[in-house]
Amino acid sequence: MNYTKKIVLVIAVFSVLNSCSTRKDTVISRNWHALNTKYNVLFNGKEAFNKGVEQINEGYKDDWFTQLPIESIQFEEDKINIPNLNTGMGAGFNDDNNEEEKATTPFGIAEEKAVKAIQKHGMNIKDVERNRQIDDAYLLLGKARYYEQRFIPAIEAFNYVIATYPDANLIAETKIWRAKANIRNDNEEFAIESMKLLLQVKDTLEVDLPEITREQGYTALAMAYIKSDSIEHAKKYLIKSTETLNNRNQGTRNLFVLGQIYSSQHKKDSASLAFNKIINFRKAPYKYKMHAHIELAKNSTNDSTSATILDKIQDLIKERENRPYLDELYYQVGYLHEQNDSINLAVDNYNKSLRARSDNVKQKTFTYEKLGNINYKNSEYVLASSYYDSIINIAADTLNLRFRRIKRKHKNLASLINFEKTVSENDSILKIVALSKPEQEAFFQKYIDDLKQKDEEAAQLKLNQQAFGDTFGGNQLKSLNKGKWYFYNSQSLSFGKSEFAKIWGNRALEDNWRWSGKRATNRTAEDSVAIDTKNVRYDLASYLETIPTEKEKIDTLSINRNQALYELGIIYKEQFKDTKLAIARLERVNSLNPSKELILPINWHLYQIYNELGDAIKTNQHKNIILTDYPTTKFAQVIKNPNKPIEEAVSVNEIEESYKETYYLYKEAKFEETVAKINDIIPTLQDSKLLPKFELLKAYAIGKYQDIETYKIAMEFVAVSYGNTEEGRKAKEIVKQLSK
């Protein structure tokens, strides 16, 4: 009897297994494989796929200063995969050479599960697929490959679904994903054509598709048109994709991109409508709502709307949940105040933006740039340079045009900063040198006292942090004595001793122990001999020793300071067109008994500045100095015989040819002819960039056949008149050599 039961059981099991074969087209077989595909293999694959998409969304950081991409994913431009094309049965799912290698990424796992579903549960019987879940597996396969940036294999998988399962319920979604893969593969024309076939019967008649599918299709069309730079068409389909907003994440993003496009086209009203729609959309992700408020501030058109938006942003700043956005909100408040010419309020809010805790480096660079530009406009060039320097130190994208412009601006300020630093340092030293001995001692003693106080405060702060926990993020003590009095805490006591010794050394226990003249003691067992461990930072004598006393050194400081002041005057005059600062520096150096070679150029530049300003008294004052004290110089000749107006302009090519001809005369040692030719040409070169070259060549030629004093005068004229050019700098070096 038992034997018979076993036989029956084996036959039953065999019958069930046989009926579940992928080669048998039975109801049991179809449903068994469909259920296993959907709730086992495909379920795990979709879970892995969703995990991968979630990781992308969490890791992707939007650059809100640029137009957002419609799809929040950044593919590597140089990553190219060349697949082994398979056109046989089941094409599009087995393109891997190493089948035994296990996937480790979520999308790799999703692909493995899709392939497993196709290979183990596919029921292709007489060229007809009987498992209704296999089209889902192919779609998952293509989507996983899309996110792995393997677009051609992804298109293969989508094409197989479209060709093999034309009536599948996911056919529309598959066509949309194929279009997206073609867009990524630089085939946006095909994507546009296929999407129009899917979504439209005629230009004005839409196919009856589910709303969510239409949203996806119009989004793909907008992506394709943006890729092909057809912005007007992109706007049209972005509008269509945001009519229903079933997909709240993608729909809100489409609205934001639409608003940004309107902003870039200066259609501020249309942009405001798009951003307000985001703000009023209850289900919109919060990050888009916040940046919609910021974009509205950027698009404010008049004082009334600006005031309303400013009040709204101030309210947003007060809300606790908006702390991650404080740097952007304060920046926008500063921007609105700057637009309203409230510069002090703007600077205050820009500084608040910098102080807000944030890892948004690009936002910091924009804030630094605003502060730098404000100081630049206010002629605070040293401070402006420090802000530009901060940008250069933290910027990540160093290749874009904006960064290169800032770097060039910073470079232009470099020489100015060095000269200002020289003036400041030498002024300070010369000021101390001019003090009497008691005044010098009092000056440095006050400095030492202030230094000690700051050191004591810093040491006490460290001590308190070590003993009671650093509430600002430092290391907290974890000893058993935590919370007890300071002197009962062994770790705090040990730290205090080490900090004291670091600052004061090993001092003896006696009155007036702070005095620098007191001898320190070393109480260690190894060495009980008293040694002098005075802290140089607090030693008055060491400071007094640094004061220069030799006349030669003091004179050098004065000469360098005067030269720096003169150079600053030229930079402010020629490069920054800041006549106020140019006058201040040149007038100051003029009052400091400058060296003989500086007197003429100082008066010449002041003459030019005051002449342009229309100040007749000052102009005549400096003109008379030049005509009286330097009557034979080139500057006096220019004043006496100003150039006549040019009647005919000379083309650039003609000037270049003239320079070549003149240079050949110079090379042939025809120096007098060279000078004569240049004298004829110069009156026609008022605005030419080659004018300094002609003047320098003329000076070289003069030096070849006239005396050294005449040569020096010619070079001085080039050095002074074109000090900011390469030719002027060469002439300046030659003048220095001739003056030795």
Side-chain angles (χ1 to χ4, degrees):
M1 185 68 181
N2 291 333
Y3 179 75
T4 303
K5 288 181 179 179
K6 289 180 180 179
I7 294 296
V8 172
L9 180 62
V10 169
I11 292 172
V13 170
F14 178 78
S15 299
V16 170
L17 292 175
N18 187 52
S19 65
C20 294
S21 169
T22 58
R23 299 293 99 196
K24 296 286 185 178
D25 185 12
T26 63
V27 174
I28 294 175
S29 181
R30 289 197 299 269
N31 285 287
W32 189 86
H33 283 289
L35 287 172
N36 264 282
T37 304
K38 182 175 182 179
Y39 294 108
N40 185 6
V41 187
L42 270 189
F43 175 82
N44 292 328
K46 288 179 179 179
E47 286 294 303
F49 177 82
N50 292 334
K51 182 181 178 182
V53 173
E54 185 179 343
Q55 288 178 356
I56 287 175
N57 292 334
E58 289 176 355
Y60 184 80
K61 299 295 183 184
D62 282 305
D63 183 357
W64 301 97
F65 287 94
T66 61
Q67 182 176 307
L68 301 185
I70 291 178
E71 197 173 31
S72 56
I73 182 171
Q74 185 67 45
F75 288 119
E76 300 173 22
E77 293 294 333
D78 58 347
K79 182 178 178 182
I80 301 174
N81 290 283
I82 302 176
N84 294 321
L85 298 179
N86 176 15
T87 57
M89 185 66 69
F93 69 82
N94 189 21
D95 68 316
D96 295 321
N97 293 326
N98 188 357
E99 297 179 1
E100 297 181 357
E101 186 178 339
K102 294 291 183 183
T104 56
T105 64
F107 296 119
I109 294 170
E111 182 176 358
E112 276 190 352
K113 297 299 181 184
V115 170
K116 182 178 180 181
I118 295 167
Q119 290 179 334
K120 292 193 174 182
H121 298 288
M123 297 180 65
N124 194 298
I125 301 171
K126 296 181 180 180
D127 294 331
V128 178
E129 180 58 61
R130 302 297 180 179
N131 185 346
R132 58 185 178 275
Q133 296 297 322
I134 296 302
D135 58 335
D136 293 62
Y138 272 105
L139 178 59
L140 177 62
L141 176 65
K143 287 159 67 175
R145 289 174 174 175
Y146 176 87
Y147 279 109
E148 286 194 321
Q149 203 172 340
R150 295 160 55 217
F151 302 121
I152 293 177
I155 292 170
E156 275 193 294
F158 297 136
N159 281 335
Y160 186 77
V161 176
I162 294 167
T164 311
Y165 313 107
D167 299 322
N169 58 349
L170 294 176
I171 196 69
E173 184 181 352
T174 305
K175 288 180 178 179
I176 292 169
W177 277 95
R178 182 182 66 172
K180 288 168 62 175
N182 275 291
I183 293 168
R184 297 293 184 180
N185 208 36
D186 296 328
N187 193 8
E188 55 270 15
E189 293 84 1
F190 176 80
I192 292 169
E193 183 181 347
S194 62
M195 284 297 92
K196 284 189 174 180
L197 287 173
L198 173 67
L199 296 167
Q200 296 175 339
V201 178
K202 294 182 180 179
D203 291 341
T204 58
L205 184 62
E206 296 180 351
V207 177
D208 186 18
L209 291 171
E211 288 182 351
I212 188 70
T213 304
R214 285 208 304 272
E215 286 181 17
Q216 293 173 353
Y218 289 133
T219 299
L221 262 173
M223 285 175 59
Y225 278 119
I226 285 179
K227 183 74 177 290
S228 60
D229 293 325
S230 300
I231 302 302
E232 292 303 316
H233 285 95
K235 281 163 48 181
K236 172 184 174 182
Y237 290 107
L238 281 172
I239 292 170
K240 283 182 173 292
S241 71
T242 55
E243 289 174 350
T244 49
L245 296 175
N246 284 279
N247 185 334
R248 69 185 187 95
N249 286 289
Q250 188 60 59
T252 307
R253 191 174 186 87
N254 290 352
L255 269 174
F256 198 92
V257 173
L258 181 62
Q260 287 183 312
I261 292 174
Y262 280 129
S263 293
S264 67
Q265 295 176 335
H266 304 291
K267 297 179 180 179
K268 296 186 180 295
D269 291 336
S270 299
S272 296
L273 285 173
F275 294 127
N276 275 313
K277 190 173 181 180
I278 294 173
I279 293 168
N280 297 326
F281 180 32
R282 185 171 55 84
K283 296 181 180 180
Y286 198 67
K287 64 178 181 178
Y288 294 111
K289 284 179 175 284
M290 291 302 301
H291 287 96
H293 282 294
I294 292 170
E295 291 296 326
L296 281 176
K298 293 179 182 178
N299 287 297
S300 60
T301 54
N302 53 55
D303 293 340
S304 59
T305 58
S306 175
T308 304
I309 292 169
L310 183 59
D311 291 339
K312 179 60 181 177
I313 295 181
Q314 294 283 17
D315 292 337
L316 292 172
I317 288 173
K318 296 174 185 176
E319 295 177 15
R320 185 181 182 87
E321 63 184 340
N322 295 332
R323 287 185 177 181
Y325 304 98
L326 282 180
D327 57 333
E328 297 173 81
L329 292 172
Y330 276 126
Y331 173 84
Q332 210 55 50
V333 172
Y335 171 78
L336 290 172
H337 281 307
E338 188 179 358
Q339 294 298 105
N340 295 329
D341 293 327
S342 301
I343 303 302
N344 290 335
L345 287 173
V347 170
D348 182 52
N349 281 280
Y350 287 143
N351 284 322
K352 286 180 180 178
S353 174
L354 291 175
R355 289 195 295 269
R357 292 186 179 181
S358 173
D359 59 353
N360 191 341
V361 173
K362 192 166 187 177
Q363 175 62 69
K364 289 185 185 298
T365 65
F366 274 92
T367 309
Y368 280 129
E369 185 179 6
K370 285 289 186 184
L371 288 167
N373 291 343
I374 288 173
N375 283 283
Y376 191 94
K377 288 178 183 177
N378 292 336
S379 300
E380 297 289 344
Y381 299 113
V382 176
L383 192 54
S385 178
S386 67
Y387 285 118
Y388 297 142
D389 186 58
S390 297
I391 297 172
I392 293 169
N393 288 333
I394 67 171
D397 187 0
T398 58
L399 299 177
N400 65 25
L401 181 62
R402 170 178 164 263
F403 179 85
R404 294 202 301 270
R405 187 185 66 247
I406 292 169
K407 192 171 183 180
R408 186 165 57 250
K409 212 170 187 178
H410 178 262
K411 185 179 180 181
N412 290 339
L413 288 167
S415 57
L416 182 146
I417 302 304
N418 288 333
F419 287 130
E420 289 285 7
K421 184 179 178 182
T422 300
V423 171
S424 177
E425 290 179 353
N426 289 13
D427 272 344
S428 299
I429 297 171
L430 291 170
K431 182 179 178 181
I432 295 171
V433 168
L435 297 175
S436 64
K437 191 70 173 179
E439 288 174 332
Q440 291 174 347
E441 291 177 356
F443 175 84
F444 282 115
Q445 188 58 54
K446 184 180 183 304
Y447 174 78
I448 291 169
D449 292 341
D450 291 341
L451 190 62
K452 284 181 181 179
Q453 184 179 351
K454 289 179 182 177
D455 287 346
E456 287 174 13
E457 290 172 355
Q460 186 62 50
L461 179 61
K462 285 185 180 179
L463 206 59
N464 293 342
Q465 291 172 351
Q466 187 73 7
F468 305 112
D470 182 7
T471 58
F472 300 100
N475 295 324
Q476 296 184 354
L477 287 177
K478 297 182 179 179
S479 67
L480 296 174
N481 293 324
K482 184 178 180 181
K484 295 183 179 181
W485 187 41
Y486 168 76
F487 287 100
Y488 291 159
N489 189 319
S490 58
Q491 284 182 279
S492 300
L493 200 59
S494 174
F495 177 79
K497 286 180 178 179
S498 63
E499 284 296 308
F500 181 90
K502 192 185 297 181
I503 296 172
W504 301 103
N506 294 316
R507 296 291 172 128
L509 183 59
E510 58 184 355
D511 292 338
N512 301 320
W513 59 269
R514 289 195 198 185
W515 288 10
S516 59
K518 289 287 181 180
R519 296 181 65 82
T521 60
N522 189 336
R523 298 178 180 273
T524 60
E526 290 80 4
D527 186 5
S528 59
V529 180
I531 58 173
D532 186 5
T533 59
K534 66 180 180 182
N535 193 326
V536 177
R537 296 173 72 241
Y538 307 142
D539 183 38
L540 179 61
S542 63
Y543 288 100
L544 294 173
E545 290 172 0
T546 62
I547 302 174
T549 56
E550 300 88 345
K551 186 178 184 303
E552 185 179 347
K553 288 185 178 180
I554 296 172
D555 288 344
T556 301
L557 288 169
S558 180
I559 291 170
N560 291 342
R561 187 266 318 274
N562 292 348
Q563 184 66 36
L565 281 169
Y566 168 73
E567 297 291 350
L568 285 169
I570 303 305
I571 291 172
Y572 287 131
K573 172 180 176 275
E574 303 291 346
Q575 190 171 334
F576 294 97
K577 310 301 179 184
D578 193 328
T579 55
K580 183 179 178 181
L581 286 177
I583 290 172
R585 299 301 185 269
L586 291 172
E587 289 285 15
R588 187 184 172 209
V589 69
N590 201 31
S591 67
L592 292 173
N593 192 26
S595 55
K596 184 180 178 182
E597 59 268 18
L598 286 181
I599 296 175
L600 173 60
I602 288 171
N603 282 281
W604 168 252
H605 287 294
L606 286 172
Y607 161 77
Q608 286 185 311
I609 294 171
Y610 285 125
N611 191 37
E612 289 178 7
L613 294 175
D615 189 333
I617 296 174
K618 290 284 187 179
T619 302
N620 289 329
Q621 176 186 333
H622 295 287
K623 180 176 74 172
N624 292 334
I625 291 173
I626 296 171
L627 295 177
T628 303
D629 298 339
Y630 307 94
T632 60
T633 61
K634 181 74 174 179
F635 305 101
Q637 295 173 20
V638 170
I639 292 172
K640 292 175 182 177
N641 305 299
N643 290 326
K644 296 179 181 179
I646 304 171
E647 295 180 0
E648 295 183 4
V650 183
S651 69
V652 174
N653 290 335
E654 289 176 350
I655 295 173
E656 290 177 353
E657 288 300 322
S658 296
Y659 181 78
K660 288 179 183 178
E661 292 173 6
T662 310
Y663 182 72
Y664 290 140
L665 285 174
Y666 175 82
K667 293 293 287 182
E668 292 170 3
K670 298 177 181 179
F671 304 121
E672 293 186 38
E673 290 182 37
T674 301
V675 173
K677 187 173 180 61
I678 292 174
N679 285 335
D680 292 336
I681 294 172
I682 281 178
T684 67
L685 303 178
Q686 288 292 327
D687 300 318
S688 174
K689 293 181 180 180
L690 291 178
L691 183 56
K693 289 184 177 295
F694 277 102
E695 290 284 8
L696 182 61
L697 183 60
K698 177 183 172 182
Y700 279 136
I702 288 171
K704 293 294 184 180
Y705 74 95
Q706 295 193 34
D707 60 85
I708 191 169
E709 191 61 34
T710 307
Y711 176 49
K712 183 180 177 183
I713 290 171
M715 279 296 174
E716 280 179 345
F717 179 78
V718 179
V720 173
S721 300
Y722 312 102
N724 274 341
T725 65
E726 184 181 349
E727 291 76 14
R729 287 189 285 272
K730 286 181 180 178
K732 197 178 297 182
E733 292 175 4
I734 293 170
V735 170
K736 284 183 181 179
Q737 293 294 327
L738 295 174
S739 299
K740 290 182 179 180

